[in-house]
Amino acid sequence: MAPLITHLYTADPSAHVFEGKVYIYPSHDRETDIQFNDNGDQYDMADYHVFSTESLDPQAPVIDHGVVLRTEDIPWVSKQLWAPDAAYKNGKYYLYFPARDKQNVFRIGVAVGERPEGPFTAEPEPIAGSYSIDPATFVDDDGEAYLYFGGLWGGQLQCYQSGLTADVYDESFLGPKEPCGEGAVAMGARMGKLTPDMLQFSEEGVKEVVILAPETGERIAADDHDRRFFEAAWMHKRDGVYYFSYSTGDTHYLCYATAKTPYGPFTYGGRILEPVLGWTTHHSIVEFQGRWWLFHHDCELSGGVNHLRSVKVKEIFYDADGKIVAVKPE
Ligand code: FUB
C-alpha cells in the first residue's frame, strides 16, 4: 500500500467527511537531531497542514491545503504539536490539538475556522481541565459532542493516576511509570462532553473510558499490554454501536472495544491492525461513500525512521455481529 502523501511526512491521520470530500487532519512530522527516547521528544512537530480528496481510489489526487496553524500562532504553546482532530458543528470547524504548554505539560487546545481546510484561529488558552494528548472528537447523531483523549509515557497520562482532574498532575510519574503489577487495572483514556460552543468541557467534567475484558467482565489489567489503552483514541458509531479504538503503544496494535453509549463501559472486541514499521501506530475510522476506511501511518517512506511517518488508508469490514474484520465477509 502506497502512502497517500509523499511530499511531506505526515502521521496520526484523523479523517472526516465534510462537504462530500474526505478531509485528513494529520500531524506534520519533521526532521530533527533529537534522539529517540520513551518521552517522544523526537516527535518535534511545529505546524499542521490539512489535506483533502474527492476519492479514495489510489490514483486520486490528495490536495495539500497548506499550513493552517503553527506553534507561534498559539499563545500558550511551547512545542510539540502532536496528533490533532477536527469536528464540524454550529456552521464552524474546530481543530483540536495537543501541545506542551510553557511549563512543559501537555494540554489540549482548540482552534476555530470557517472552512474544513482552515485556516484556524487558536483560542488563547488550552481547554480548561484538559491534559495529556491525542484528542479525538465525536459528534453524535443527536448533536452532542464528546472529546476523547490521553496517552501514556510521553503523553503524560500516567501523571494523572490519582484522579481525573488536571490538578492531580504529578510530575514524579513522568516516563514509563503507569500502574503495573498484580491486581493493577489499566488506566483508561479520558473523555468529556463538550459545551454547545465546542470550546470547553461541559459541567459533567472528565470521565474515564473503561474497557472490560469479555471473558471476565472485569477491567483490562494494567499488565495486559496486548489489550490495554496506550494512546491514539478514536470513536465511531455504526448501527447504533459505539466503537472506541486505540493503540496499545509498546505492543504496537490498533484495537477496539464497543459499548451502547459514548460513555461506555466498553468491552474489548479485537485488533484492527497488526504492528506496522515504526514504533507508533495511530488511526481513524470513517465511512465514505458507503464503505468503511482505516486511516493509519507507518514509516516505510522514511525507511523506518520512527518520527518520520506517512499516512495510508485501507478498507475495513464488519461481520454480521459487528466485529471489525480485515477481509470482506463472504
Ligand atoms: O505524533 C506524536 C505521537 O505519536 C502521537 O500523539 C501518538 O499517538 C503517536 O502517534
Coordinates of all heavy atoms in Angstrom, one line a residue, residues 11-12 27 29 43 45 82-83 98 133-134 231-232 280-282 297 309, ligand 1:
A11 N 1.5 12.0 9.9 CA 1.2 10.9 10.8 C -0.1 11.2 11.5 O -0.7 12.3 11.4 CB 2.3 10.8 11.8
D12 N -0.6 10.2 12.3 CA -1.7 10.4 13.2 C -3.0 10.9 12.4 O -3.6 11.9 12.8 CB -1.4 11.4 14.3 CG -0.1 11.1 15.0 OD1 0.2 9.9 15.2 OD2 0.6 12.0 15.4
S27 N -0.7 14.9 11.9 CA 0.5 15.6 12.4 C 1.4 15.8 11.2 O 1.4 15.0 10.2 CB 1.2 14.7 13.4 OG 0.4 14.4 14.5
D29 N 5.2 15.5 10.6 CA 6.5 15.1 11.1 C 7.6 15.9 10.4 O 7.5 16.2 9.2 CB 6.7 13.6 10.9 CG 5.9 12.8 11.8 OD1 5.2 13.3 12.7 OD2 5.9 11.5 11.6
Y43 N 9.5 13.6 18.5 CA 8.3 14.0 17.7 C 8.1 15.5 18.0 O 7.4 15.9 18.8 CB 7.1 13.2 18.2 CG 7.3 11.7 17.9 CD1 7.7 10.9 19.0 CD2 7.1 11.1 16.7 CE1 7.9 9.5 18.7 CE2 7.3 9.8 16.4 CZ 7.7 9.0 17.5 OH 7.9 7.6 17.3
M45 N 7.0 18.3 16.3 CA 6.3 19.0 15.2 C 5.9 20.4 15.5 O 5.6 20.7 16.7 CB 5.0 18.1 14.8 CG 5.4 16.7 14.4 SD 5.6 15.6 15.8 CE 4.0 14.8 15.8
W82 N 1.2 17.7 18.5 CA 1.0 16.3 18.2 C -0.3 16.0 17.6 O -1.0 16.9 17.1 CB 1.2 15.5 19.5 CG 2.7 15.3 19.9 CD1 3.8 15.9 19.3 CD2 3.2 14.4 20.8 NE1 4.9 15.4 19.9 CE2 4.6 14.5 20.8 CE3 2.7 13.5 21.8 CZ2 5.5 13.8 21.7 CZ3 3.5 12.8 22.6 CH2 4.9 12.9 22.5
A83 N -0.8 14.8 17.7 CA -2.0 14.3 16.9 C -3.2 15.2 17.0 O -3.8 15.2 18.1 CB -2.2 12.9 17.2
P98 N -3.1 18.7 20.7 CA -2.3 18.6 22.0 C -1.0 19.3 21.7 O -0.4 19.3 20.6 CB -2.1 17.1 22.2 CG -2.0 16.6 20.8 CD -2.8 17.5 19.9
I133 N -2.7 14.0 25.7 CA -2.6 14.1 24.3 C -3.7 13.5 23.5 O -4.6 12.9 24.1 CB -1.2 13.5 23.8 CG1 -1.2 12.0 24.1 CG2 0.0 14.3 24.4 CD1 -0.1 11.2 23.4
D134 N -3.6 13.5 22.2 CA -4.4 12.7 21.2 C -5.9 13.0 21.4 O -6.7 12.0 21.6 CB -4.1 11.2 21.4 CG -2.7 10.9 20.8 OD1 -2.0 11.8 20.4 OD2 -2.3 9.7 20.9
E231 N -2.6 5.0 23.8 CA -2.8 6.3 23.2 C -3.7 6.2 21.9 O -4.2 5.1 21.6 CB -1.5 7.0 22.8 CG -0.6 6.2 21.8 CD 0.7 6.8 21.5 OE1 1.1 7.8 22.2 OE2 1.5 6.2 20.7
A232 N -3.8 7.3 21.2 CA -4.5 7.3 19.9 C -6.0 6.9 19.9 O -6.4 6.0 19.2 CB -3.7 6.4 18.9
T280 N 5.3 3.9 16.6 CA 3.9 4.3 16.9 C 2.9 3.7 15.8 O 3.3 3.4 14.7 CB 3.8 5.8 16.8 OG1 4.0 6.3 15.5 CG2 4.7 6.5 17.8
T281 N 1.7 3.6 16.3 CA 0.6 3.3 15.4 C -0.6 4.1 15.8 O -0.8 4.3 17.0 CB 0.3 1.8 15.3 OG1 -0.6 1.5 14.3 CG2 -0.2 1.2 16.6
H282 N -1.3 4.7 14.9 CA -2.3 5.7 15.2 C -3.3 5.7 14.0 O -2.9 5.3 12.9 CB -1.7 7.0 15.3 CG -2.5 8.1 15.9 ND1 -2.2 8.8 17.1 CD2 -3.7 8.6 15.5 CE1 -3.1 9.7 17.4 NE2 -4.0 9.6 16.4
H297 N -0.8 5.2 9.9 CA 0.5 5.6 9.3 C 1.5 4.5 9.6 O 1.3 3.5 10.4 CB 1.0 6.9 10.0 CG 1.3 6.8 11.4 ND1 0.9 7.7 12.4 CD2 2.1 5.9 12.2 CE1 1.3 7.4 13.6 NE2 2.1 6.3 13.5
R309 N 6.9 9.6 9.5 CA 5.8 8.7 9.2 C 5.0 9.2 8.0 O 5.1 10.3 7.6 CB 4.9 8.5 10.5 CG 5.7 8.0 11.7 CD 5.0 8.3 13.0 NE 5.0 9.7 13.3 CZ 4.4 10.1 14.4 NH1 3.8 9.3 15.3 NH2 4.3 11.4 14.7
Ligands
FUB1 O1 2.7 12.0 16.8 C1 3.1 12.1 18.1 C2 2.5 10.9 18.9 O2 2.9 9.7 18.3 C3 1.0 10.9 18.9 O3 0.4 11.8 19.7 C4 0.8 9.5 19.3 O4 -0.5 9.0 19.1 C5 1.8 8.8 18.4 O5 1.4 8.5 17.1

